[in-house]
Amino acid sequence: MTTQSLPIYQIDAFTDVLFAGNPAAVVPLSDWLPDDVLQKIAMENNLSETAFFVPNAGDEADFHIRWFTPTVEVPLCGHATLASAFVIFNRLGFEGDLIKLQSQSGVLTARREGDAIVLNFPKQPIKGETVSEEVLEALGGVKPAETFGVVSRDTDIVIVYDDAAIVRNMRPDMSALGKLAGRGVIVTAPGDKTGLDMISRYFLPALGINEDPVTGYMHCVVGPYWAEKLGQVDIIGYQASARGGVVACKVDGDRVHLKGEAVQYLKGEITVPA
């Protein structure tokens, strides 16, 4: 079998220190590989997301980006986009402070701002939706304040609690949750510490990820919810996973600006079919 070598980076996103935030693999490409190879690379990496991007020939964007979990391709991912922008800015010699990325979710941008990167993502609207008692039991059985579904991505439900301690201390039955929900489950509550407006977590056992450590996309769901609830456009969110991470959100109409830092953990080389 003929093979080729490709560069790979592992970046901790939404953190300024190693071993925190959310790790993503980033694989720059000159041309797209077959979809099944992209999926196998993501499965082999076994991180919540692997991002791939190729130079874009048109004027609308600088690169075309795609994201894969170990089991599926997803239409939008924040932390792997932040990781990709970090690589493009700091490792690939990109000139300028603004990157335009074509994706399944339209054109996204990543802007350099000091040591941080600001992503411009589409707001993810929600609508009221009933969640089964079985799913709530798998989450611990606490009665929620509200429940929603994500309108633009019919694979996620949102469960709002009144107390951040419920979210922080939650120990879901992942096996049951993956079978019952069949989709991602976002849990969120008001912030419980000075400087935090909200606390959230994101469980995706049905997609091969028990818990995503720090999620940009999720903050495009819960950020606008809490912005409306609190009557402010700037929201500081903490994702209370074991690794943990802070995401600064600014709601701007139908867009959400997500600000965070990233650090490189690994640079290497992978071997794939040519």
Side-chain angles (χ1 to χ4, degrees):
M1 179 179 67
T2 305
T3 61
Q4 59 178 317
S5 296
L6 298 172
I8 187 169
Y9 300 84
Q10 187 169 318
I11 306 296
D12 290 341
F14 291 115
T15 180
D16 61 354
V17 296
L18 283 168
F19 311 122
N22 199 352
V26 177
V27 182
L29 300 171
S30 55
D31 296 289
W32 287 119
L33 300 170
D35 285 5
D36 67 316
V37 175
L38 299 178
Q39 186 63 73
K40 287 175 181 175
I41 294 171
M43 180 179 65
E44 191 80 5
N45 290 337
N46 200 32
L47 295 169
S48 60
E49 306 284 350
T50 296
F52 303 90
F53 57 82
V54 300
N56 194 66
D59 295 332
E60 189 176 38
D62 302 297
F63 299 91
H64 183 194
I65 190 168
R66 297 170 68 183
W67 312 273
F68 288 76
T69 78
T71 57
V72 296
E73 182 175 8
V74 295
L76 186 65
C77 176
H79 83 280
T81 304
L82 184 67
S84 297
F86 175 89
V87 170
I88 293 169
F89 278 133
N90 298 293
R91 301 294 179 263
L92 301 186
F94 183 83
E95 296 182 1
D97 292 324
L98 182 71
I99 303 167
K100 296 180 180 180
L101 300 155
Q102 181 65 54
S103 76
Q104 285 188 38
S105 296
V107 176
L108 314 173
T109 65
R111 176 171 50 85
R112 184 162 24 201
E113 188 174 292
D115 292 331
I117 294 171
V118 180
L119 305 178
N120 184 329
F121 270 33
K123 173 182 174 182
Q124 303 294 301
I126 55 178
K127 62 179 179 180
E129 179 178 320
T130 301
V131 177
S132 73
E133 288 298 323
E134 290 83 3
V135 169
L136 296 178
E137 284 298 320
L139 291 170
V142 179
K143 181 178 175 61
E146 296 179 275
T147 58
F148 300 94
V150 179
V151 174
S152 59
R153 185 173 177 175
D154 191 28
T155 54
D156 289 326
I157 55 180
V158 184
I159 303 174
V160 182
Y161 295 94
D162 292 324
D163 187 353
I166 297 169
V167 173
R168 286 184 181 272
N169 299 327
M170 188 172 285
R171 299 292 181 267
D173 182 337
M174 294 297 183
S175 178
L177 192 63
K179 294 173 184 175
L180 292 168
R183 56 206 292 202
V185 179
I186 298 167
V187 296
T188 188
D192 57 352
K193 293 185 179 181
T194 302
L196 295 181
D197 298 302
M198 64 180 182
I199 300 289
S200 306
R201 293 173 71 184
Y202 190 24
F203 308 115
L204 305 96
L207 300 180
I209 308 161
N210 280 348
E211 180 170 5
D212 199 30
V214 190
T215 314
Y217 150 76
M218 184 196 72
H219 284 82
C220 295
V221 178
V222 294
Y225 170 84
W226 288 111
E228 183 176 349
K229 201 86 167 172
L230 299 174
Q232 58 196 60
V233 296
D234 291 298
I235 295 291
I236 303 298
Y238 179 70
Q239 193 155 338
S241 64
R243 294 174 67 102
V246 174
V247 181
C249 313
K250 185 180 183 68
V251 181
D252 181 15
D254 62 355
R255 309 293 293 184
V256 181
H257 304 279
L258 306 172
K259 184 177 180 179
E261 296 186 40
V263 291
Q264 179 178 309
Y265 167 67
L266 175 151
K267 178 185 178 182
E269 190 174 87
I270 60 175
T271 302
V272 301

